[in-house]
Amino acid sequence: MAGFLEGVARWMIDPRKNWLARVHMRTVAARLKNYGLRYDDLYDPYEDLDIKEAMARLPREVVDARNQRLKRAMDLSMKHEYLPEDLQALQTPYRSYLRDMLALVKRERAEREALGALPLYQRTLP
């Protein structure tokens, strides 16, 4: 029964198999393009310490570009405007810059837990 439910869940979120997931993915991409954001920009480093650690390991240029995209998006949102159409066409909302580093951090954390080592970082509330 659990295998069946996993299969159904995988089918539901796979845009290659489920048309509703494809529509959702296109809708999210259009909304992100309106503000010039990438999907990875939506991750909050204050909520997940793995994301915070992965962000700290990224090159400075990548982090600066992320911060600029977030500032531009907030500015456009406050003005109730969108990016011009020509700039929206250049946006790549699903091009990931954080996925590989985040996977590495999660693997390292899982390995440390399996070996019984102390965690690299402690949970602190902002």
Side-chain angles (χ1 to χ4, degrees):
M1 185 68 170
F4 172 74
L5 293 177
E6 286 179 17
V8 169
R10 239 180 286 123
W11 173 81
M12 287 182 69
I13 62 172
D14 188 1
R16 292 174 301 206
K17 297 178 182 174
N18 186 352
W19 68 272
L20 193 56
R22 266 194 308 276
V23 169
H24 174 70
M25 192 171 176
R26 280 196 300 260
T27 303
V28 170
R31 296 288 302 233
L32 291 173
K33 283 182 180 183
N34 285 341
Y35 295 105
L37 291 172
R38 290 188 181 169
Y39 191 76
D40 287 352
D41 295 338
L42 303 178
Y43 289 124
D44 186 5
Y46 294 113
E47 292 296 320
D48 188 358
L49 292 177
D50 289 339
I51 292 172
K52 184 177 182 179
E53 178 65 24
M55 295 280 298
R57 294 183 186 187
L58 288 174
R60 185 74 182 155
E61 301 84 34
V62 174
V63 175
D64 288 343
R66 175 186 189 268
N67 291 335
Q68 285 301 110
R69 284 191 300 272
L70 288 170
K71 286 180 185 178
R72 176 179 60 192
M74 285 187 278
D75 182 52
L76 289 169
S77 177
M78 293 297 285
K79 294 177 181 176
H80 300 282
E81 296 177 359
Y82 294 136
L83 274 180
E85 292 292 328
D86 56 335
L87 288 178
Q88 284 186 31
L90 299 175
Q91 301 304 311
T92 54
Y94 288 114
R95 186 170 154 209
S96 179
Y97 60 88
L98 190 61
R99 183 182 309 135
D100 296 334
M101 190 62 71
L102 185 59
L104 176 67
V105 168
K106 286 183 186 260
R107 276 196 313 268
E108 288 176 359
R109 182 176 49 82
E111 181 180 351
R112 289 184 69 81
E113 288 175 1
L115 294 174
L118 294 174
L120 287 176
Y121 39 85
Q122 297 291 333
R123 175 86 179 151
T124 58
L125 295 174

